[in-house]
Each structure stands twice: as C-alpha cells, then as structure tokens.
Amino acid sequence: MRYLGKNIKLIVNNLMVSYTDAGPDDAPVIIFIHGFPLNKSMWNKQIEALMGNYRVIAYDIRGHGDSEMESEPFSIDLFVNDLIGFMDVLKIDKASLCGLSMGGYIALKAIKRNPLRFESLVLADTTCIADQPETIVKRKNAIKSIKEEGVVQYAEESVKSLFAPESLIRKLVEIAAVKEMIIATTDKSLCQTLHALSVREETCSFLSSIKMPVLVLVGEHDKITPPFAAAFMHKNIIGSKMFIIDHAGHLSNLENSDDFNDRLNTFFATVYGRPEIIDSETYNSFVKKMGKQLNMFLGFVMK
Ligand code: MLT
C-alpha cells in the first residue's frame, strides 16, 4: 500500500526515514536527493511543479530533516545503501534521480553501483571530483567551528556561500528556510557528513559509462560547484544536456525555481514522452501573446 503526504515514516536498513510522496500511482518515479546540510523540504517547489505528471518523492538522508541518524559513521556509500534500501522497501524497481550537490554525489555513485535501477539523471550544482586538499582543510575548520561556536553561527556562515550575492538581498524567505534547515540538523550529523564528504571518491572516471538521459544544471554564480565543474560533466556524459540557471548560486532550485522547474519539466517530458505541464500563469501569458491566432486555432480545433 502506498501512503501519500509530506512526512511519511518508513524503516530502511533499521533506520527510520522520513519522505514526501506525491503524484499519480502509475506515473514514472522521480526521486529527489537534497544537498548538505539541508533536507527534503528544499524540493517543495519542484514537487509542486511536477506532481501532476510524475510520482515525485523526496526523502531525508540519514541524520538530516526528520530521518534518524544512528551511530554508524556516515559515508556516500552508506547513503547509497539507504537509497537502494528505500527503493526496495517502496517496491520501486526503476526511478529517475535528481540530486543537488551532495545529492548529486549520491546519485552518481548509486548509478555507478546499480545502473539498472535508474532511468535518467539530473545533476544540479554538483561535481564528480573528490575533495581537493584546500576543501578538506575547510571541512576540518567547519567541524571545529561547529564544535566550538555552534550550529547557529555555522548556518550564518554557510548561507553566504550557498546563495548568489543578489539572492542574499532578494531571497530572504529562502535564506530563512535554509538557515532553519541547517539549525535543525544536529552538530553530530553535520560533523559526520562533513567528514563523509571530505573522504568521498571521485566519479569523473565513470561519467563516460553513463547510458541514460542526463541533464546538468548549475547556478551562474555557484561558488561551491561552479559552472566549469558542470561543463566538465556535460562534456564527459554522452548525449547530456546542460543549462546555466541565471540569478542563482549553489541552490539554483531555490534561487530561481521557475527556470529550474522549466528545465526539469522539459527534460522529463522528453525522457518519458509526457506533455509538459504549463502552469496557468504561463498559459495566460501565452494566450495573451498569441491573441487572435490562438483563438482562430482553438475555433478550428473545436469545430
Ligand atoms: C551541498 O550543497 O551538498 C554541499 O555544498 C556539498 C559540498 O560541500 O561538497
């Protein structure tokens, strides 16, 4: 039996995992994987935009949002085990993945390990390279600062690099939501995840083996996983598409959700041969632009 809603609980690998599930029962499944140190709620606008045509699922990675943590040390491989276990418990044989940043690291590793379970992939604001020495030092400093100065200070610092400079002025609601997500994460989980990120393996050498439709998206001002990292993945994944999201930094799905959603919508419509969803605002402005011609066309079709 399937449960629909925003905070459904499920046991995966002996751990309670929280997830959102929306959309028609028999529709293609898209699983959203959040970035660090966020949670599934970062995907609310994408879920809203796609749930008319797809079964859309966003889950909290262990130790994030409302999912339990347990004591096992974190690693990207452990997060992949959780994802596959989650699909098994929900009896989802095949799905598309959309991962942002850490979500992209998990998605790439999941496809490398289980290529037959996935149909298409969206890599948003992410990279295939492992941490470079200077990033490892930054992670160590972040762990120290969380332990000494606390999570609130860490949240204040984090948003400065997560958002584009213009979003820091304009996207106050999104900034507040992101700070809340960070502060709601325990310091133990933050430190364990920072360590897991710092020791993750590269996935660049696997890109040319990916045999499925791939969309690469990146915010024009992403400082953490910049456009050149996206371009590298696009160049090495045969047949992939890449788009730069304007007016956005590292959290392009939150900073410019309209463009991000349009790209997703077009991509999945191509992957699954489904009509694109046109929201009423777009439809009305289209009708206004087309005016007489459209009326004539509709008159013709309705005859
Ligand atoms: C994320 O958004 O998931 C993080 O910025 C990833 C990272 O720090 O490598």
Side-chain angles (χ1 to χ4, degrees), residues 56-145:
V56 276
I57 296 176
Y59 70 101
D60 285 330
I61 295 168
R62 65 166 71 205
H64 296 76
D66 294 309
S67 287
E68 278 177 354
M69 170 160 185
E70 281 227 336
S71 50
E72 207 169 341
F74 286 178
S75 67
I76 297 297
D77 273 305
L78 180 67
F79 295 157
V80 171
N81 295 348
D82 289 343
L83 168 63
I84 302 299
F86 177 69
M87 290 172 68
D88 289 344
V89 178
L90 285 178
K91 298 195 176 11
I92 295 169
D93 286 341
K94 276 191 176 252
S96 286
L97 291 179
C98 175
L100 185 136
S101 199
M102 174 173 74
Y105 310 157
I106 298 169
L108 278 169
K109 204 64 193 290
I111 290 174
K112 185 175 178 192
R113 281 176 40 188
N114 305 267
L116 300 179
R117 301 291 298 269
F118 302 103
E119 291 176 315
S120 74
L121 170 65
V122 180
L123 293 169
D125 299 284
T126 192
T127 179
C128 59
I129 62 167
D131 267 9
Q132 300 303 294
E134 62 277 14
T135 317
I136 296 177
V137 171
K138 276 193 200 157
R139 305 250 195 235
K140 284 191 177 141
N141 290 340
I143 292 173
K144 194 164 171 266
S145 132

Coordinates of all heavy atoms in Angstrom, one line a residue, residues 56-145:
V56 N 6.5 11.9 -7.5 CA 7.7 12.6 -7.0 C 7.9 12.3 -5.6 O 7.0 12.4 -4.7 CB 7.5 14.1 -7.3 CG1 7.9 14.5 -8.7 CG2 6.1 14.6 -7.0
I57 N 9.1 11.9 -5.3 CA 9.5 11.5 -3.9 C 10.7 12.3 -3.5 O 11.7 12.4 -4.3 CB 9.8 10.0 -3.9 CG1 8.5 9.2 -4.2 CG2 10.4 9.6 -2.5 CD1 8.7 7.7 -4.3
A58 N 10.7 12.8 -2.3 CA 11.9 13.5 -1.7 C 12.1 12.9 -0.3 O 11.1 12.8 0.4 CB 11.7 15.0 -1.7
Y59 N 13.3 12.4 0.0 CA 13.5 11.8 1.3 C 14.6 12.6 2.0 O 15.4 13.2 1.4 CB 13.8 10.3 1.2 CG 15.1 10.0 0.6 CD1 16.2 9.7 1.4 CD2 15.4 10.1 -0.8 CE1 17.5 9.4 0.9 CE2 16.6 9.8 -1.3 CZ 17.7 9.5 -0.5 OH 18.9 9.2 -1.0
D60 N 14.6 12.4 3.4 CA 15.7 13.0 4.2 C 16.8 11.9 4.3 O 16.6 10.8 4.8 CB 15.1 13.3 5.6 CG 14.3 14.5 5.6 OD1 14.5 15.4 4.8 OD2 13.4 14.6 6.5
I61 N 18.0 12.3 3.9 CA 19.1 11.5 4.1 C 19.3 11.3 5.6 O 19.0 12.2 6.4 CB 20.4 12.2 3.5 CG1 20.2 12.3 2.0 CG2 21.7 11.5 3.8 CD1 21.2 13.2 1.3
R62 N 19.9 10.1 6.0 CA 20.0 9.8 7.4 C 20.7 11.0 8.2 O 21.7 11.6 7.6 CB 20.7 8.5 7.7 CG 22.1 8.4 7.3 CD 22.8 7.2 7.9 NE 22.3 5.9 7.4 CZ 22.4 4.8 8.0 NH1 22.9 4.7 9.2 NH2 22.0 3.6 7.5
G63 N 20.2 11.3 9.3 CA 20.8 12.4 10.1 C 20.3 13.8 9.7 O 20.8 14.8 10.3
H64 N 19.5 13.9 8.7 CA 19.0 15.2 8.2 C 17.5 15.2 8.3 O 16.9 14.2 8.2 CB 19.5 15.4 6.7 CG 21.0 15.5 6.6 ND1 21.8 14.3 6.6 CD2 21.8 16.5 6.4 CE1 23.0 14.7 6.5 NE2 23.1 16.0 6.3
G65 N 17.0 16.4 8.3 CA 15.5 16.6 8.4 C 14.9 15.7 9.5 O 15.4 15.7 10.6
D66 N 13.9 14.9 9.1 CA 13.2 14.0 10.1 C 13.7 12.6 10.1 O 13.1 11.7 10.7 CB 11.7 14.1 9.9 CG 11.2 15.5 10.1 OD1 11.5 16.1 11.2 OD2 10.5 16.1 9.3
S67 N 14.8 12.3 9.4 CA 15.3 10.9 9.4 C 16.2 10.7 10.6 O 17.0 11.6 10.9 CB 16.0 10.6 8.1 OG 15.1 10.5 7.0
E68 N 16.2 9.5 11.1 CA 17.1 9.1 12.2 C 18.5 9.1 11.8 O 18.8 9.0 10.6 CB 16.7 7.8 12.8 CG 15.5 7.8 13.7 CD 15.1 6.4 14.2 OE1 15.7 5.4 13.7 OE2 14.2 6.3 15.0
M69 N 19.4 9.1 12.8 CA 20.8 9.1 12.5 C 21.6 7.8 12.8 O 22.3 7.3 12.0 CB 21.4 10.2 13.3 CG 22.9 10.2 13.3 SD 23.6 11.8 13.7 CE 25.3 11.4 13.4
E70 N 21.4 7.2 13.9 CA 22.1 6.1 14.4 C 23.6 6.4 14.5 O 24.1 7.5 14.2 CB 22.0 4.9 13.4 CG 20.6 4.2 13.6 CD 20.8 2.7 13.7 OE1 21.8 2.2 13.1 OE2 20.0 2.0 14.3
S71 N 24.4 5.4 15.0 CA 25.8 5.7 15.3 C 26.8 5.4 14.2 O 27.9 5.8 14.3 CB 26.1 5.0 16.6 OG 25.8 3.7 16.5
E72 N 26.4 4.6 13.2 CA 27.3 4.2 12.2 C 28.0 5.4 11.5 O 27.3 6.4 11.2 CB 26.5 3.5 11.1 CG 27.2 2.5 10.3 CD 26.3 1.6 9.5 OE1 25.1 1.6 9.8 OE2 26.7 1.0 8.5
P73 N 29.3 5.4 11.2 CA 29.9 6.5 10.6 C 29.3 6.7 9.2 O 29.1 5.8 8.5 CB 31.4 6.2 10.5 CG 31.6 5.0 11.3 CD 30.3 4.3 11.6
F74 N 29.1 8.0 8.8 CA 28.5 8.3 7.5 C 29.5 8.1 6.4 O 30.7 8.4 6.6 CB 28.0 9.8 7.5 CG 26.8 10.0 8.3 CD1 26.3 11.3 8.3 CD2 26.1 9.0 8.9 CE1 25.1 11.6 9.1 CE2 24.9 9.3 9.7 CZ 24.5 10.6 9.7
S75 N 29.0 7.7 5.2 CA 29.8 7.8 4.0 C 28.8 7.9 2.8 O 27.6 7.6 3.0 CB 30.6 6.5 3.9 OG 29.7 5.4 3.7
I76 N 29.3 8.3 1.7 CA 28.5 8.3 0.5 C 28.0 6.9 0.2 O 26.8 6.8 -0.2 CB 29.2 9.0 -0.7 CG1 29.6 10.4 -0.4 CG2 28.4 8.9 -2.0 CD1 28.5 11.4 -0.1
D77 N 28.8 5.9 0.4 CA 28.3 4.5 0.1 C 27.2 4.1 1.0 O 26.3 3.5 0.6 CB 29.5 3.6 0.2 CG 30.2 3.5 -1.1 OD1 29.6 3.1 -2.1 OD2 31.4 3.7 -1.2
L78 N 27.3 4.6 2.3 CA 26.2 4.2 3.2 C 24.9 5.0 2.7 O 23.8 4.4 2.8 CB 26.6 4.7 4.6 CG 25.5 4.5 5.7 CD1 25.3 3.0 6.0 CD2 25.9 5.2 7.0
F79 N 25.0 6.2 2.3 CA 23.9 6.9 1.8 C 23.3 6.2 0.5 O 22.1 6.3 0.3 CB 24.2 8.4 1.5 CG 24.7 9.2 2.6 CD1 25.5 10.4 2.5 CD2 24.3 8.9 3.9 CE1 25.9 11.2 3.5 CE2 24.7 9.7 5.0 CZ 25.5 10.8 4.8
V80 N 24.1 5.7 -0.3 CA 23.7 4.9 -1.5 C 22.9 3.7 -1.0 O 21.8 3.4 -1.5 CB 24.8 4.6 -2.4 CG1 24.4 3.6 -3.5 CG2 25.4 5.9 -3.0
N81 N 23.5 3.0 0.0 CA 22.8 1.8 0.5 C 21.4 2.2 1.0 O 20.4 1.4 0.7 CB 23.5 1.2 1.7 CG 24.9 0.6 1.4 OD1 25.2 0.5 0.2 ND2 25.7 0.3 2.4
D82 N 21.3 3.3 1.7 CA 20.0 3.8 2.2 C 19.0 4.0 1.0 O 17.8 3.7 1.1 CB 20.1 5.0 3.0 CG 20.8 4.8 4.3 OD1 20.9 3.6 4.8 OD2 21.3 5.8 5.0
L83 N 19.5 4.7 -0.1 CA 18.7 5.0 -1.2 C 18.1 3.7 -1.9 O 16.9 3.6 -2.1 CB 19.5 5.8 -2.2 CG 18.8 6.0 -3.6 CD1 17.5 6.8 -3.5 CD2 19.8 6.7 -4.6
I84 N 19.0 2.7 -2.1 CA 18.6 1.5 -2.7 C 17.6 0.7 -1.8 O 16.6 0.2 -2.2 CB 19.8 0.6 -3.1 CG1 20.8 1.4 -4.0 CG2 19.4 -0.7 -3.7 CD1 20.2 1.8 -5.3
G85 N 18.0 0.7 -0.5 CA 17.1 0.1 0.5 C 15.7 0.8 0.5 O 14.7 0.1 0.6
F86 N 15.7 2.1 0.4 CA 14.5 2.9 0.4 C 13.6 2.5 -0.8 O 12.4 2.2 -0.7 CB 14.9 4.3 0.3 CG 13.8 5.3 0.2 CD1 12.9 5.5 1.3 CD2 13.6 6.1 -0.9 CE1 11.9 6.5 1.2 CE2 12.6 7.0 -1.0 CZ 11.7 7.2 0.0
M87 N 14.3 2.4 -2.0 CA 13.5 2.0 -3.2 C 13.0 0.5 -3.1 O 11.9 0.2 -3.5 CB 14.4 2.1 -4.4 CG 14.8 3.5 -4.8 SD 16.0 3.6 -6.1 CE 15.2 2.9 -7.5
D88 N 13.8 -0.3 -2.4 CA 13.3 -1.7 -2.3 C 12.1 -1.8 -1.4 O 11.1 -2.5 -1.7 CB 14.5 -2.6 -1.6 CG 15.6 -2.8 -2.6 OD1 15.4 -2.6 -3.8 OD2 16.7 -3.2 -2.1
V89 N 12.2 -1.1 -0.2 CA 11.0 -1.1 0.7 C 9.8 -0.6 0.0 O 8.7 -1.1 0.2 CB 11.3 -0.3 2.0 CG1 10.1 -0.3 2.9 CG2 12.5 -0.9 2.7
L90 N 9.9 0.5 -0.8 CA 8.8 1.1 -1.5 C 8.4 0.3 -2.8 O 7.5 0.7 -3.5 CB 9.0 2.5 -1.9 CG 9.0 3.5 -0.7 CD1 9.3 4.9 -1.2 CD2 7.6 3.6 -0.1
K91 N 9.2 -0.8 -3.1 CA 9.0 -1.6 -4.3 C 9.1 -0.8 -5.6 O 8.2 -0.9 -6.5 CB 7.6 -2.3 -4.2 CG 7.6 -3.3 -3.0 CD 6.4 -4.3 -3.2 CE 6.3 -5.3 -2.1 NZ 7.1 -5.2 -0.9
I92 N 10.0 0.1 -5.6 CA 10.3 0.9 -6.8 C 11.4 0.2 -7.6 O 12.6 0.3 -7.1 CB 10.6 2.4 -6.4 CG1 9.4 3.0 -5.8 CG2 11.0 3.2 -7.7 CD1 9.7 4.4 -5.2
D93 N 11.1 -0.4 -8.7 CA 12.2 -1.1 -9.4 C 13.1 -0.1 -10.1 O 14.3 -0.3 -10.2 CB 11.6 -2.0 -10.5 CG 10.9 -3.2 -9.9 OD1 11.3 -3.5 -8.8 OD2 10.1 -3.8 -10.6
K94 N 12.5 0.9 -10.7 CA 13.2 1.9 -11.5 C 12.8 3.3 -11.2 O 11.6 3.5 -11.1 CB 13.0 1.6 -13.0 CG 13.9 0.6 -13.5 CD 13.9 0.5 -15.1 CE 14.8 -0.5 -15.6 NZ 16.0 0.1 -16.3
A95 N 13.7 4.2 -11.2 CA 13.3 5.6 -11.0 C 14.3 6.6 -11.7 O 15.4 6.1 -12.1 CB 13.4 5.9 -9.5
S96 N 13.9 7.8 -11.8 CA 14.9 8.8 -12.2 C 15.4 9.5 -11.0 O 14.6 9.6 -10.0 CB 14.2 9.9 -13.1 OG 14.0 9.3 -14.4
L97 N 16.6 10.0 -11.0 CA 17.1 10.7 -9.8 C 17.4 12.2 -10.2 O 17.8 12.5 -11.3 CB 18.5 10.1 -9.4 CG 18.4 8.7 -8.8 CD1 19.8 8.2 -8.5 CD2 17.5 8.6 -7.6
C98 N 17.1 13.0 -9.2 CA 17.5 14.4 -9.3 C 18.2 14.8 -8.0 O 17.6 14.8 -6.9 CB 16.3 15.3 -9.5 SG 16.7 17.1 -9.4
G99 N 19.5 15.0 -8.1 CA 20.3 15.3 -6.9 C 21.0 16.6 -7.0 O 21.6 17.0 -8.0
L100 N 21.0 17.4 -5.9 CA 21.7 18.7 -5.9 C 22.9 18.5 -5.0 O 22.8 18.1 -3.8 CB 20.8 19.8 -5.4 CG 21.4 21.2 -5.5 CD1 20.4 22.2 -6.0 CD2 21.9 21.7 -4.1
S101 N 24.1 18.9 -5.5 CA 25.3 18.9 -4.7 C 25.6 17.5 -4.1 O 25.8 16.5 -4.8 CB 25.3 20.0 -3.8 OG 26.7 20.3 -3.4
M102 N 25.5 17.4 -2.7 CA 25.7 16.1 -2.1 C 24.7 15.1 -2.7 O 25.1 13.9 -2.9 CB 25.5 16.2 -0.6 CG 25.5 14.9 0.1 SD 25.5 15.0 1.9 CE 23.8 15.5 2.2
G103 N 23.5 15.6 -3.0 CA 22.5 14.7 -3.6 C 23.0 14.1 -5.0 O 22.8 13.0 -5.4
G104 N 23.8 15.0 -5.7 CA 24.4 14.6 -7.0 C 25.5 13.5 -6.7 O 25.7 12.6 -7.5
Y105 N 26.3 13.7 -5.7 CA 27.4 12.8 -5.4 C 26.8 11.4 -5.1 O 27.3 10.4 -5.6 CB 28.2 13.1 -4.1 CG 28.7 14.6 -4.0 CD1 29.0 15.1 -2.7 CD2 28.9 15.4 -5.1 CE1 29.5 16.4 -2.6 CE2 29.4 16.7 -4.9 CZ 29.7 17.2 -3.7 OH 30.2 18.4 -3.5
I106 N 25.6 11.4 -4.4 CA 25.0 10.1 -4.1 C 24.4 9.5 -5.3 O 24.5 8.3 -5.6 CB 23.8 10.4 -3.0 CG1 24.5 10.9 -1.7 CG2 23.0 9.1 -2.7 CD1 23.5 11.4 -0.7
A107 N 23.7 10.4 -6.1 CA 23.1 9.9 -7.4 C 24.1 9.3 -8.3 O 23.9 8.2 -8.8 CB 22.4 11.0 -8.1
L108 N 25.3 9.9 -8.5 CA 26.3 9.4 -9.4 C 26.8 8.0 -8.9 O 27.0 7.1 -9.7 CB 27.5 10.4 -9.5 CG 27.2 11.5 -10.5 CD1 28.3 12.6 -10.3 CD2 27.2 11.0 -11.9
K109 N 27.0 7.9 -7.6 CA 27.5 6.7 -7.0 C 26.5 5.6 -7.1 O 26.8 4.4 -7.3 CB 27.9 6.9 -5.6 CG 28.9 6.0 -4.9 CD 30.3 6.1 -5.6 CE 31.2 5.0 -5.2 NZ 31.7 5.0 -3.9
A110 N 25.2 6.0 -6.9 CA 24.1 5.0 -7.0 C 24.0 4.4 -8.4 O 23.8 3.2 -8.6 CB 22.8 5.6 -6.6
I111 N 24.1 5.3 -9.4 CA 24.0 4.8 -10.8 C 25.2 4.0 -11.1 O 25.1 3.0 -11.9 CB 23.8 6.0 -11.7 CG1 22.4 6.6 -11.5 CG2 24.0 5.6 -13.2 CD1 22.1 7.8 -12.2
K112 N 26.4 4.3 -10.6 CA 27.6 3.5 -10.8 C 27.4 2.1 -10.3 O 27.7 1.1 -10.9 CB 28.8 4.2 -10.2 CG 30.1 3.6 -10.5 CD 31.3 4.4 -9.9 CE 32.6 3.6 -10.2 NZ 33.7 4.2 -9.4
R113 N 26.9 2.0 -9.1 CA 26.7 0.7 -8.4 C 25.5 -0.1 -8.9 O 25.5 -1.3 -8.9 CB 26.6 0.9 -6.9 CG 28.0 1.2 -6.3 CD 27.9 1.5 -4.8 NE 26.9 0.7 -4.1 CZ 26.6 0.9 -2.8 NH1 27.1 1.8 -2.1 NH2 25.7 0.1 -2.3
N114 N 24.4 0.6 -9.3 CA 23.2 -0.1 -9.7 C 22.6 0.5 -11.0 O 21.5 1.1 -10.9 CB 22.1 0.1 -8.6 CG 22.6 -0.4 -7.2 OD1 22.4 -1.5 -6.9 ND2 23.3 0.5 -6.5
P115 N 23.3 0.5 -12.1 CA 22.8 1.2 -13.3 C 21.4 0.8 -13.7 O 20.7 1.6 -14.3 CB 23.9 0.9 -14.3 CG 24.6 -0.3 -13.8 CD 24.5 -0.3 -12.3
L116 N 21.0 -0.5 -13.5 CA 19.7 -0.9 -14.0 C 18.5 -0.4 -13.2 O 17.4 -0.6 -13.6 CB 19.7 -2.5 -14.0 CG 20.8 -3.1 -14.9 CD1 20.7 -4.6 -14.9 CD2 20.7 -2.6 -16.3
R117 N 18.8 0.2 -12.1 CA 17.7 0.7 -11.2 C 17.3 2.1 -11.6 O 16.3 2.7 -11.1 CB 18.0 0.7 -9.8 CG 18.4 -0.6 -9.1 CD 17.3 -1.6 -9.1 NE 16.1 -1.2 -8.2 CZ 16.0 -1.5 -6.9 NH1 16.9 -2.2 -6.3 NH2 14.9 -1.1 -6.3
F118 N 18.0 2.7 -12.6 CA 17.7 4.2 -12.9 C 17.5 4.4 -14.3 O 18.1 3.8 -15.2 CB 18.9 5.0 -12.3 CG 19.1 4.8 -10.8 CD1 20.1 4.0 -10.3 CD2 18.1 5.3 -9.9 CE1 20.2 3.7 -8.9 CE2 18.2 5.1 -8.6 CZ 19.2 4.3 -8.1
E119 N 16.6 5.4 -14.6 CA 16.2 5.7 -16.0 C 16.8 7.0 -16.5 O 17.0 7.1 -17.7 CB 14.7 5.7 -16.1 CG 14.1 4.4 -15.8 CD 12.6 4.4 -15.8 OE1 12.0 5.3 -15.1 OE2 11.9 3.6 -16.4
S120 N 16.9 8.0 -15.7 CA 17.5 9.2 -16.1 C 18.0 10.0 -14.9 O 17.7 9.6 -13.7 CB 16.5 10.1 -16.9 OG 15.6 10.6 -16.0
L121 N 18.8 11.0 -15.1 CA 19.5 11.7 -14.0 C 19.6 13.2 -14.2 O 19.9 13.6 -15.3 CB 20.9 11.1 -14.0 CG 22.0 11.7 -13.1 CD1 21.6 11.6 -11.6 CD2 23.4 11.1 -13.4
V122 N 19.3 13.9 -13.2 CA 19.5 15.3 -13.2 C 20.6 15.6 -12.1 O 20.5 15.3 -11.0 CB 18.2 16.1 -12.8 CG1 18.5 17.6 -12.9 CG2 17.1 15.8 -13.8
L123 N 21.7 16.3 -12.6 CA 22.8 16.6 -11.7 C 22.7 18.1 -11.6 O 23.0 18.9 -12.5 CB 24.1 16.2 -12.4 CG 24.4 14.7 -12.5 CD1 25.6 14.4 -13.4 CD2 24.5 14.1 -11.1
A124 N 22.4 18.6 -10.4 CA 22.2 20.1 -10.2 C 23.3 20.5 -9.2 O 23.5 19.9 -8.1 CB 20.8 20.4 -9.6
D125 N 24.0 21.6 -9.6 CA 25.0 22.2 -8.8 C 25.9 21.2 -8.0 O 25.9 21.1 -6.8 CB 24.3 23.1 -7.8 CG 23.6 24.2 -8.5 OD1 24.2 25.2 -9.0 OD2 22.3 24.1 -8.6
T126 N 26.5 20.3 -8.8 CA 27.3 19.2 -8.2 C 28.6 19.0 -9.0 O 28.8 19.8 -10.0 CB 26.4 18.0 -8.1 OG1 27.1 17.0 -7.3 CG2 26.1 17.3 -9.4
T127 N 29.3 18.1 -8.6 CA 30.6 17.8 -9.3 C 31.0 16.3 -9.1 O 30.5 15.7 -8.2 CB 31.7 18.7 -8.7 OG1 33.0 18.4 -9.3 CG2 32.0 18.4 -7.2
C128 N 31.9 15.9 -10.0 CA 32.3 14.5 -9.9 C 33.6 14.4 -9.3 O 34.1 13.3 -9.0 CB 32.4 13.9 -11.4 SG 33.5 14.8 -12.5
I129 N 34.3 15.5 -9.0 CA 35.6 15.4 -8.4 C 35.6 15.1 -6.9 O 34.6 15.5 -6.2 CB 36.5 16.6 -8.6 CG1 35.9 17.9 -8.0 CG2 36.8 16.8 -10.1 CD1 36.9 19.0 -8.0
A130 N 36.6 14.5 -6.4 CA 36.7 14.3 -4.9 C 37.2 15.6 -4.3 O 37.6 16.5 -5.0 CB 37.7 13.2 -4.6
D131 N 37.1 15.7 -3.0 CA 37.6 17.0 -2.3 C 39.1 17.2 -2.6 O 39.9 16.3 -2.4 CB 37.3 16.9 -0.8 CG 36.0 17.5 -0.4 OD1 35.2 17.8 -1.3 OD2 35.8 17.6 0.8
Q132 N 39.4 18.4 -2.9 CA 40.8 18.8 -3.1 C 41.4 19.2 -1.7 O 40.6 19.5 -0.8 CB 40.9 20.0 -4.0 CG 40.3 19.7 -5.4 CD 41.0 18.5 -6.1 OE1 42.2 18.5 -6.4 NE2 40.3 17.4 -6.2
P133 N 42.7 19.2 -1.5 CA 43.3 19.4 -0.2 C 42.7 20.7 0.5 O 42.4 20.7 1.7 CB 44.8 19.6 -0.5 CG 45.0 18.8 -1.7 CD 43.7 18.9 -2.5
E134 N 42.5 21.8 -0.3 CA 42.1 23.0 0.4 C 40.6 22.9 0.9 O 40.3 23.4 1.9 CB 42.2 24.2 -0.5 CG 41.5 24.3 -1.8 CD 42.2 23.5 -3.0 OE1 43.1 22.8 -2.7 OE2 41.8 23.7 -4.1
T135 N 39.8 22.1 0.2 CA 38.4 21.8 0.6 C 38.5 21.0 1.9 O 37.6 21.2 2.8 CB 37.6 21.1 -0.5 OG1 37.9 21.7 -1.7 CG2 36.1 21.2 -0.2
I136 N 39.4 20.0 1.9 CA 39.5 19.1 3.1 C 39.8 20.0 4.4 O 39.2 19.8 5.4 CB 40.5 18.0 2.9 CG1 40.0 17.1 1.8 CG2 40.7 17.2 4.2 CD1 40.9 16.0 1.4
V137 N 40.7 21.0 4.2 CA 41.1 21.9 5.3 C 39.8 22.7 5.7 O 39.5 22.8 6.9 CB 42.2 22.8 4.9 CG1 42.5 23.9 5.9 CG2 43.5 22.0 4.6
K138 N 39.1 23.2 4.7 CA 37.9 23.9 5.0 C 36.9 23.1 5.8 O 36.2 23.6 6.8 CB 37.2 24.4 3.7 CG 37.8 25.7 3.2 CD 36.8 26.2 2.1 CE 37.6 27.2 1.2 NZ 37.0 27.4 -0.1
R139 N 36.7 21.8 5.4 CA 35.8 20.9 6.1 C 36.3 20.8 7.6 O 35.4 20.8 8.5 CB 35.7 19.6 5.5 CG 35.4 19.6 4.0 CD 34.1 19.0 3.8 NE 33.9 18.7 2.3 CZ 32.9 19.1 1.6 NH1 32.0 19.9 2.1 NH2 32.9 18.8 0.3
K140 N 37.6 20.6 7.8 CA 38.1 20.4 9.1 C 37.8 21.6 10.0 O 37.4 21.5 11.2 CB 39.6 20.1 9.1 CG 39.8 18.7 8.7 CD 41.3 18.2 8.9 CE 41.5 16.8 8.5 NZ 42.7 16.5 7.8
N141 N 38.0 22.8 9.4 CA 37.8 24.0 10.1 C 36.3 24.2 10.4 O 35.9 24.7 11.5 CB 38.2 25.3 9.3 CG 39.7 25.3 9.2 OD1 40.4 24.7 10.0 ND2 40.2 26.0 8.2
A142 N 35.4 23.7 9.5 CA 34.0 23.8 9.7 C 33.6 22.9 10.9 O 32.8 23.3 11.8 CB 33.2 23.4 8.5
I143 N 34.2 21.7 11.0 CA 33.9 20.8 12.1 C 34.3 21.5 13.4 O 33.5 21.5 14.4 CB 34.6 19.4 11.9 CG1 34.0 18.7 10.7 CG2 34.6 18.6 13.2 CD1 34.7 17.4 10.3
K144 N 35.5 22.1 13.4 CA 36.0 22.8 14.6 C 35.0 23.9 15.0 O 34.6 24.0 16.2 CB 37.4 23.3 14.3 CG 38.2 23.7 15.5 CD 39.6 23.9 15.1 CE 40.4 24.5 16.2 NZ 40.5 26.0 16.1
S145 N 34.6 24.7 14.0 CA 33.7 25.8 14.3 C 32.4 25.4 14.8 O 31.8 26.0 15.7 CB 33.6 26.7 13.1 OG 32.3 27.1 12.8

